[in-house]
Coordinates of all heavy atoms in Angstrom, one line a residue:
E218 N 78.7 87.5 107.8 CA 78.7 88.6 108.8 C 78.9 89.9 108.2 O 79.4 90.1 107.1 CB 79.8 88.4 109.9 CG 79.7 87.1 110.6 CD 80.6 86.0 110.0 OE1 80.7 86.0 108.7 OE2 81.1 85.2 110.7
D219 N 78.4 91.0 108.9 CA 78.7 92.3 108.4 C 80.2 92.6 108.4 O 80.9 92.2 109.4 CB 78.0 93.4 109.3 CG 76.5 93.3 109.2 OD1 76.0 92.8 108.2 OD2 75.8 93.7 110.2
P220 N 80.7 93.3 107.4 CA 82.1 93.5 107.4 C 82.5 94.7 108.3 O 81.8 95.6 108.6 CB 82.4 94.0 105.9 CG 81.0 94.6 105.5 CD 80.0 93.8 106.2
Q221 N 83.8 94.5 108.8 CA 84.3 95.6 109.7 C 84.8 96.7 108.8 O 84.7 97.9 109.2 CB 85.5 95.0 110.5 CG 85.1 93.9 111.5 CD 86.2 93.0 111.8 OE1 87.2 92.9 111.1 NE2 86.2 92.4 113.0
L222 N 85.4 96.4 107.6 CA 85.9 97.4 106.7 C 85.5 97.1 105.3 O 85.3 95.9 105.0 CB 87.5 97.4 106.8 CG 88.2 97.5 108.1 CD1 89.7 97.4 107.9 CD2 87.8 98.8 108.8
V223 N 85.4 98.1 104.5 CA 85.2 98.0 103.1 C 86.5 98.5 102.4 O 86.9 99.6 102.6 CB 84.0 98.8 102.6 CG1 83.8 98.6 101.1 CG2 82.7 98.3 103.3
I224 N 87.1 97.6 101.6 CA 88.5 97.9 101.2 C 88.6 97.7 99.7 O 88.4 96.6 99.2 CB 89.5 96.9 101.9 CG1 89.2 96.8 103.4 CG2 90.9 97.3 101.6 CD1 90.1 95.8 104.1
P225 N 89.0 98.8 99.0 CA 89.4 98.6 97.6 C 90.6 97.6 97.5 O 91.5 97.6 98.4 CB 89.8 100.0 97.1 CG 89.2 100.9 98.1 CD 89.1 100.2 99.4
V226 N 90.7 96.9 96.5 CA 91.8 95.9 96.4 C 93.2 96.5 96.4 O 94.1 95.9 96.9 CB 91.6 95.0 95.1 CG1 91.9 95.7 93.9 CG2 92.4 93.7 95.3
S227 N 93.3 97.7 95.9 CA 94.6 98.4 95.9 C 95.0 98.7 97.4 O 96.2 98.6 97.7 CB 94.5 99.7 95.1 OG 93.5 100.6 95.6
T228 N 94.0 99.1 98.2 CA 94.4 99.3 99.6 C 94.7 98.0 100.3 O 95.6 97.9 101.2 CB 93.2 100.0 100.3 OG1 92.9 101.2 99.7 CG2 93.5 100.3 101.8
L229 N 94.0 96.9 100.0 CA 94.2 95.6 100.6 C 95.7 95.2 100.3 O 96.3 94.6 101.2 CB 93.2 94.6 100.0 CG 93.3 93.2 100.6 CD1 93.0 93.3 102.1 CD2 92.3 92.3 100.0
A230 N 96.2 95.5 99.1 CA 97.6 95.2 98.8 C 98.5 96.0 99.8 O 99.5 95.4 100.2 CB 97.9 95.5 97.4
L231 N 98.2 97.2 100.1 CA 99.1 98.0 101.0 C 99.1 97.4 102.4 O 100.1 97.3 103.0 CB 98.6 99.4 101.1 CG 98.7 100.3 99.8 CD1 97.9 101.6 100.0 CD2 100.1 100.5 99.4
L232 N 97.9 96.9 102.8 CA 97.8 96.2 104.1 C 98.6 94.9 104.1 O 99.3 94.5 105.0 CB 96.4 96.0 104.5 CG 95.5 97.2 104.6 CD1 94.1 96.8 105.0 CD2 96.0 98.3 105.5
F233 N 98.3 94.1 103.0 CA 98.9 92.8 102.9 C 100.4 92.8 102.9 O 101.0 91.9 103.5 CB 98.4 92.2 101.5 CG 98.9 90.8 101.2 CD1 98.4 89.7 101.8 CD2 99.9 90.7 100.3 CE1 98.9 88.4 101.5 CE2 100.4 89.4 100.0 CZ 99.9 88.3 100.6
F234 N 101.0 93.7 102.2 CA 102.5 93.8 102.2 C 103.1 94.5 103.4 O 104.3 94.5 103.5 CB 102.9 94.5 100.9 CG 102.8 93.6 99.6 CD1 101.9 93.9 98.7 CD2 103.7 92.6 99.5 CE1 101.8 93.1 97.5 CE2 103.6 91.8 98.3 CZ 102.6 92.0 97.4
G235 N 102.2 95.2 104.2 CA 102.7 95.9 105.3 C 103.2 97.3 105.1 O 104.0 97.9 105.9
Q236 N 102.8 97.9 103.9 CA 103.2 99.2 103.6 C 102.4 100.2 104.5 O 103.0 101.3 104.9 CB 102.9 99.5 102.1 CG 103.3 100.9 101.7 CD 104.8 101.1 101.6 OE1 105.5 100.2 101.8 NE2 105.2 102.4 101.4
L237 N 101.2 100.0 104.8 CA 100.3 100.8 105.6 C 99.6 99.9 106.7 O 99.3 98.8 106.4 CB 99.3 101.6 104.8 CG 99.7 102.7 103.9 CD1 98.5 103.3 103.2 CD2 100.5 103.8 104.7
G238 N 99.3 100.5 107.8 CA 98.4 99.9 108.7 C 97.0 100.3 108.4 O 96.7 101.3 107.7
A239 N 96.0 99.6 109.0 CA 94.6 99.9 108.7 C 94.2 101.3 109.2 O 93.5 102.0 108.6 CB 93.7 98.8 109.3
S240 N 94.7 101.7 110.4 CA 94.4 103.0 110.9 C 95.0 104.1 110.1 O 94.3 105.1 109.8 CB 95.0 103.1 112.4 OG 94.3 102.2 113.2
E241 N 96.2 103.9 109.5 CA 96.8 104.9 108.6 C 95.9 105.0 107.3 O 95.7 106.1 106.9 CB 98.2 104.4 108.2 CG 99.2 104.5 109.3 CD 100.6 104.0 108.8 OE1 100.8 102.8 108.8 OE2 101.4 104.9 108.5
A242 N 95.6 103.8 106.8 CA 94.7 103.8 105.6 C 93.4 104.5 105.8 O 92.9 105.2 105.0 CB 94.5 102.4 105.1
A243 N 92.8 104.3 107.0 CA 91.5 104.9 107.3 C 91.7 106.5 107.4 O 90.8 107.2 106.9 CB 91.0 104.4 108.7
R244 N 92.8 106.9 108.0 CA 93.0 108.4 108.1 C 93.1 109.0 106.7 O 92.8 110.2 106.5 CB 94.3 108.7 108.9 CG 94.1 108.5 110.4 CD 95.2 109.1 111.2 NE 96.5 108.4 111.0 CZ 96.9 107.4 111.7 NH1 96.2 106.9 112.6 NH2 98.1 106.9 111.4
M245 N 93.7 108.2 105.7 CA 93.8 108.7 104.4 C 92.5 108.5 103.5 O 92.5 108.8 102.3 CB 95.0 108.0 103.7 CG 96.3 108.2 104.4 SD 97.6 107.2 103.5 CE 99.0 107.5 104.7
E246 N 91.5 107.9 104.2 CA 90.3 107.5 103.5 C 90.5 106.6 102.3 O 89.9 106.6 101.3 CB 89.5 108.8 103.0 CG 89.1 109.7 104.2 CD 88.2 110.9 103.8 OE1 88.1 111.1 102.5 OE2 87.7 111.6 104.6
Y247 N 91.5 105.7 102.5 CA 91.8 104.6 101.6 C 90.9 103.4 101.7 O 90.9 102.5 100.9 CB 93.2 104.2 101.7 CG 94.2 105.0 100.9 CD1 93.9 106.2 100.4 CD2 95.5 104.5 100.6 CE1 94.8 107.0 99.7 CE2 96.4 105.2 99.9 CZ 96.1 106.5 99.5 OH 97.0 107.2 98.8
L248 N 90.1 103.4 102.8 CA 89.1 102.4 103.1 C 88.0 103.0 103.9 O 88.1 104.1 104.4 CB 89.8 101.2 103.8 CG 90.6 101.4 105.1 CD1 89.6 101.6 106.3 CD2 91.5 100.3 105.3
E249 N 86.9 102.2 104.0 CA 85.7 102.7 104.7 C 85.6 101.8 106.0 O 85.6 100.6 105.9 CB 84.4 102.5 103.9 CG 83.1 103.0 104.6 CD 81.9 102.7 103.8 OE1 82.0 102.3 102.6 OE2 80.8 103.0 104.3
V250 N 85.5 102.5 107.1 CA 85.4 101.9 108.4 C 83.9 101.7 108.8 O 83.2 102.7 109.0 CB 86.2 102.6 109.5 CG1 86.1 101.9 110.8 CG2 87.6 102.8 109.0
L251 N 83.5 100.5 109.0 CA 82.1 100.3 109.5 C 82.1 99.9 111.0 O 81.1 100.0 111.6 CB 81.5 99.1 108.7 CG 81.4 99.3 107.2 CD1 80.7 98.2 106.5 CD2 80.7 100.6 106.8
D252 N 83.2 99.5 111.5 CA 83.4 99.2 112.9 C 84.7 99.8 113.4 O 85.7 99.2 113.2 CB 83.4 97.6 113.1 CG 83.5 97.2 114.6 OD1 83.6 98.1 115.4 OD2 83.5 96.0 114.8
D253 N 84.6 100.9 114.1 CA 85.8 101.6 114.5 C 86.6 100.8 115.5 O 87.8 100.9 115.6 CB 85.4 103.0 115.2 CG 84.9 104.0 114.2 OD1 85.4 104.0 113.1 OD2 84.0 104.8 114.6
G254 N 85.9 100.0 116.3 CA 86.6 99.2 117.3 C 87.5 98.1 116.7 O 88.3 97.5 117.4
A255 N 87.3 97.8 115.4 CA 88.1 96.8 114.8 C 89.5 97.2 114.3 O 90.3 96.4 114.0 CB 87.3 96.2 113.6
L256 N 89.7 98.5 114.2 CA 90.9 99.0 113.6 C 92.2 98.6 114.4 O 93.2 98.2 113.8 CB 90.9 100.5 113.5 CG 90.1 101.1 112.4 CD1 90.1 102.6 112.4 CD2 90.7 100.7 111.0
P257 N 92.2 98.6 115.8 CA 93.4 98.1 116.5 C 93.7 96.7 116.2 O 94.9 96.3 116.1 CB 93.0 98.3 118.0 CG 92.0 99.4 117.9 CD 91.2 99.2 116.7
L258 N 92.7 95.8 116.0 CA 92.9 94.4 115.7 C 93.5 94.3 114.3 O 94.4 93.5 114.1 CB 91.6 93.6 115.8 CG 91.7 92.2 115.4 CD1 92.6 91.4 116.3 CD2 90.3 91.5 115.4
W259 N 93.0 95.0 113.4 CA 93.5 95.0 112.0 C 95.0 95.5 112.0 O 95.8 94.9 111.3 CB 92.7 95.9 111.1 CG 91.5 95.3 110.5 CD1 90.3 95.0 111.1 CD2 91.4 94.7 109.2 NE1 89.4 94.4 110.2 CE2 90.1 94.1 109.0 CE3 92.3 94.6 108.1 CZ2 89.7 93.5 107.9 CZ3 91.9 94.0 106.9 CH2 90.6 93.4 106.8
D260 N 95.3 96.5 112.8 CA 96.7 97.0 112.8 C 97.6 95.9 113.4 O 98.7 95.7 112.8 CB 96.8 98.2 113.7 CG 96.2 99.4 113.1 OD1 96.0 99.5 111.9 OD2 95.8 100.4 113.9
R261 N 97.2 95.2 114.4 CA 98.0 94.1 115.0 C 98.2 92.9 114.0 O 99.3 92.4 113.8 CB 97.5 93.7 116.3 CG 97.5 94.7 117.4 CD 97.2 94.1 118.8 NE 96.0 93.3 118.8 CZ 94.8 93.8 119.2 NH1 94.7 95.1 119.4 NH2 93.7 93.0 119.2
V262 N 97.0 92.5 113.5 CA 97.1 91.3 112.6 C 97.9 91.5 111.3 O 98.7 90.6 110.9 CB 95.6 90.8 112.3 CG1 95.6 89.7 111.3 CG2 95.0 90.3 113.6
M263 N 97.7 92.6 110.7 CA 98.3 92.9 109.4 C 99.7 93.4 109.5 O 100.4 93.5 108.4 CB 97.4 93.8 108.6 CG 96.0 93.3 108.3 SD 95.9 91.7 107.5 CE 96.5 92.1 105.8
K264 N 100.2 93.7 110.7 CA 101.5 94.3 110.8 C 102.6 93.3 110.4 O 102.5 92.1 110.7 CB 101.7 94.7 112.3 CG 103.1 95.3 112.5 CD 103.2 95.8 114.0 CE 104.6 96.3 114.3 NZ 105.0 97.5 113.5
T265 N 103.5 93.7 109.6 CA 104.6 92.8 109.2 C 105.9 93.1 110.1 O 106.0 94.2 110.6 CB 105.0 93.0 107.7 OG1 105.3 94.4 107.5 CG2 103.8 92.6 106.9
R266 N 106.8 92.2 110.1 CA 108.0 92.4 110.9 C 109.0 93.4 110.2 O 109.8 94.0 110.9 CB 108.7 91.0 111.1 CG 107.9 90.0 111.9 CD 108.7 88.7 112.1 NE 107.9 87.7 112.7 CZ 108.3 86.5 112.9 NH1 109.6 86.1 112.7 NH2 107.5 85.6 113.5
H267 N 108.9 93.5 108.9 CA 109.7 94.4 108.1 C 108.8 95.1 107.1 O 107.8 94.6 106.7 CB 110.8 93.6 107.4 CG 111.7 92.8 108.3 ND1 112.8 93.3 108.9 CD2 111.6 91.5 108.8 CE1 113.4 92.4 109.6 NE2 112.7 91.3 109.6
R268 N 109.4 96.2 106.6 CA 108.7 96.9 105.6 C 108.9 96.2 104.3 O 109.9 95.5 104.1 CB 109.3 98.3 105.4 CG 109.1 99.3 106.6 CD 107.6 99.6 106.8 NE 107.1 100.4 105.6 CZ 107.3 101.7 105.4 NH1 108.0 102.4 106.3 NH2 106.8 102.3 104.4
P269 N 107.9 96.2 103.4 CA 108.0 95.4 102.1 C 109.2 95.9 101.3 O 109.5 97.1 101.2 CB 106.7 95.7 101.4 CG 106.2 97.0 102.0 CD 106.7 97.1 103.4
C270 N 109.8 94.9 100.6 CA 110.9 95.2 99.7 C 111.1 94.1 98.7 O 110.9 93.0 99.1 CB 112.2 95.4 100.5 SG 113.7 95.7 99.5

Side-chain angles (χ1 to χ4, degrees):
E218 301 94 325
D219 291 336
Q221 299 157 331
L222 307 177
V223 179
I224 311 175
V226 74
S227 57
T228 302
L229 186 60
L231 294 172
L232 304 182
F233 177 79
F234 285 111
Q236 180 71 9
L237 288 180
S240 294
E241 291 177 282
R244 287 194 293 270
M245 299 176 188
E246 298 184 353
Y247 274 18
L248 53 79
E249 181 183 356
V250 181
L251 302 181
D252 179 359
D253 290 326
L256 283 175
L258 176 62
W259 273 81
D260 287 339
R261 295 195 304 272
V262 169
M263 301 303 289
K264 182 178 176 60
T265 57
R266 299 181 186 180
H267 301 272
R268 297 291 298 278
C270 176

